[in-house]
Amino acid sequence: MAHLNSHYLKLKAGYLFPEINRRVKAFTDANPEAAARLIRCGIGDVTEPLPLAVREAMHKAVDELGTSEHFRGYGPEQGYEFLRKAIAENDYRSRGLDVADDEIFVSDGSKCDCANILDVLGHENRIAVMDPVYPVYVDTNVMAGHTGAASDAGFYEGLVYLPCTAENGFMPDVPTEKVDLVYLCSPNNPTGAVATRERLEKWVAYALANDAILLYDAAYEAYITEPGVPRSIYEIPGARQCAIEFRSFSKNGGFTGVRCAFTVLPKELLCTSADGEKRPLHPLWNRRFSTKFNGVSYVTQRAAEALYSSEGKAEVAALVSHYMGNAKILREAVSGAGLTVFGGVNAPYIWVRGPQGATSWDIFDRVLNEANIVITPGSGFGNAGEGYFRISAFNSRVKAEEAARRFAAMKW
Ligand code: MLT
């Protein structure tokens, strides 16, 4: 009989968001009248229409494909040159950061990139994650066999957890022990915290001193509103030798359904191979793309390119400002109700400390039952999230305002 990948059997319950959907469905099945009132502030999925610049670019690309002159079949697996160049120019070089076009790898999503990067990294690595953490970093390492079983407390054996608490501003300091891979996410999902330049300088120094790699998830970069907060890890000198950056068009351009993201993998970044030689990771990532991926569709890549046009940039700014307007409304309502809130300033997520003694799932159930609002329980992101919950600001203004009224009306 064939063997399954038994590492999957170590995974705790379901993936967080399907588990939330399951509970919400059970609730709406039992309370059909509440279903119509339901407001979803759980998963961070965009709600507003695609920018006009994007739609026009997509229409044009579709029409091109309808002519024999401009028809295209397979594209370059790593992304069309027009998009790689637009990304490298606009997101990096125009801001004084040294990133070459061929260091950009265009993909169908950051979630996939964060998971796929493990293909080109060894199984021997000691891995550190923030706690609370975007569950994909942990679960994909479990699937790849990089951990032991989960303890009763929910910690996987072999992973190093870096607690993110109100005391450290939800951004961990470098560990005292040596690790090889560190997942950092700023602006952070779920806490909405951002890493300061000083904090990132420490991390880059740590990575260089320990031959470690920083897996830097900047999917929410567009939401940074405070001046001085780094938007890319490459703003920190030395990061090209030790950091891989993950970016996405999901949350800035509203591409959660369209699907397009990219990684930046600098050619200077070296890893040790089995023979003890230090070798660049870039050719391996390139090879992975060529072998396991056929690239993002031409239409989608033209759509992503349009986000860098002047019209596209203005529309992205309007989308971000819309969601951040929601964040402000929700943040003020929950804080006005007497709860302690974090985030929501440089990120579309508000991280709330629940009432004393209540577990995150208790709060989830209460908010669902009393206010008919779906939130995300903090413990779903890890142990350090227990007692907290996350509110997503991705919503229409009408729904965000209504949710704010209901949060304020709850007897916390
Ligand atoms: C979230 O709600 O945390 C996001 O939807 C995660 C994601 O983008 O995959």
Side-chain angles (χ1 to χ4, degrees):
M1 187 172 287
H3 293 270
L4 51 73
N5 178 351
S6 41
H7 299 304
Y8 276 62
L9 307 180
K10 297 177 203 159
L11 292 166
K12 287 178 278 176
Y15 181 59
L16 176 61
F17 294 105
E19 172 61 17
I20 290 173
N21 289 342
R22 196 187 60 72
R23 290 188 185 224
V24 171
K25 181 165 186 318
F27 171 75
T28 50
D29 285 352
N31 305 277
E33 72 296 343
R37 269 176 53 81
L38 204 68
I39 300 180
R40 293 181 190 273
C41 298
I43 192 164
D45 193 3
V46 293
T47 57
E48 301 309 290
L50 276 179
L52 179 62
V54 164
R55 285 177 279 138
E56 285 179 348
M58 289 176 107
H59 283 299
K60 184 163 172 276
V62 168
D63 288 341
E64 278 180 53
L65 296 181
T67 65
S68 28
E69 200 189 344
H70 296 294
F71 173 76
R72 292 168 190 247
Y74 292 124
E77 295 90 352
Q78 298 78 0
Y80 282 102
E81 181 51 32
F82 64 78
L83 181 56
R84 298 175 94 186
K85 187 170 185 336
I87 293 169
E89 273 293 335
N90 287 278
D91 284 333
Y92 299 100
R93 292 198 291 264
S94 68
R95 305 181 51 238
L97 307 179
D98 171 26
V99 170
D101 298 356
D102 64 355
E103 293 176 322
I104 305 285
F105 292 82
V106 177
S107 78
D108 61 344
S110 280
K111 180 170 163 177
C112 326
D113 286 335
C114 291
N116 292 335
I117 196 72
L118 295 179
D119 261 14
V120 295
L121 294 164
H123 293 296
E124 311 82 351
N125 291 316
R126 191 148 173 76
I127 299 159
V129 293
M130 299 165 78
D131 177 18
V133 61
Y134 178 44
V136 174
Y137 313 148
V138 172
D139 287 4
T140 53
N141 275 290
V142 175
M143 291 169 175
H146 296 167
T147 73
S151 68
D152 291 343
F155 296 110
Y156 284 99
E157 191 194 333
L159 288 185
V160 174
Y161 289 86
L162 307 169
C164 299
T165 59
E167 288 67 42
N168 64 15
F170 299 101
M171 273 294 155
D173 209 343
V174 299
T176 45
E177 65 191 290
K178 180 176 164 23
V179 296
D180 304 302
L181 298 179
V182 185
Y183 290 84
L184 293 177
C185 176
S186 175
N188 189 260
N189 179 11
T191 66
V194 279
T196 61
R197 186 169 305 276
E198 296 67 39
R199 184 66 57 116
L200 291 180
E201 281 168 355
K202 278 194 185 177
W203 273 109
V204 168
Y206 172 90
L208 294 175
N210 289 280
D211 282 333
I213 293 183
L214 307 178
L215 299 170
Y216 192 75
D217 184 347
Y220 296 92
E221 166 273 335
Y223 289 84
I224 294 173
T225 56
E226 289 180 322
V229 175
R231 291 172 170 269
S232 163
I233 189 69
Y234 303 116
E235 291 181 34
I236 311 299
R240 281 185 56 84
Q241 280 80 52
C242 64
I244 301 172
E245 184 157 288
F246 300 91
R247 292 267 194 114
S248 169
F249 298 109
S250 283
K251 311 292 158 93
N252 61 354
F255 275 35
T256 54
V258 175
R259 310 298 317 145
C260 197
F262 62 92
T263 47
V264 185
L265 209 162
K267 290 184 199 126
E268 286 102 301
L269 190 142
L270 306 180
C271 281
T272 310
S273 53
D275 58 9
E277 284 291 306
K278 286 191 172 182
R279 296 175 197 277
L281 203 58
H282 185 277
L284 276 67
W285 190 230
N286 196 52
R287 179 61 200 264
R288 188 202 175 278
F289 265 72
S290 314
T291 305
K292 292 198 175 182
F293 192 48
N294 266 330
V296 175
S297 79
Y298 175 68
V299 175
T300 298
Q301 292 194 57
R302 282 293 184 201
E305 181 194 28
L307 292 170
Y308 293 107
S309 65
S310 50
E311 297 79 10
K313 283 179 182 167
E315 287 181 276
V316 166
L319 282 173
V320 168
S321 138
H322 164 81
Y323 293 125
M324 289 311 284
N326 288 351
K328 183 168 188 291
I329 291 165
L330 289 161
R331 202 176 188 279
E332 286 173 359
V334 179
S335 137
L339 296 178
T340 307
V341 300
F342 305 91
V345 175
N346 294 302
Y349 296 126
I350 299 139
W351 186 242
V352 188
R353 187 185 283 144
Q356 189 74 27
T359 69
S360 297
W361 280 110
D362 289 343
I363 303 164
F364 174 88
D365 288 333
R366 266 197 62 198
V367 174
L368 182 59
N369 278 281
E370 292 175 27
N372 303 149
I373 298 174
V374 182
I375 52 166
T376 307
S379 58
F381 297 102
N383 264 38
E386 183 57 278
Y388 285 84
F389 64 97
R390 190 192 78 175
I391 304 172
S392 160
F394 290 112
N395 233 321
S396 64
R397 182 54 50 84
V398 170
K399 285 196 177 163
E401 284 172 346
E402 175 59 19
R405 271 192 290 276
R406 293 191 205 167
F407 278 126
M410 277 185 71
K411 299 270 169 291
W412 292 98

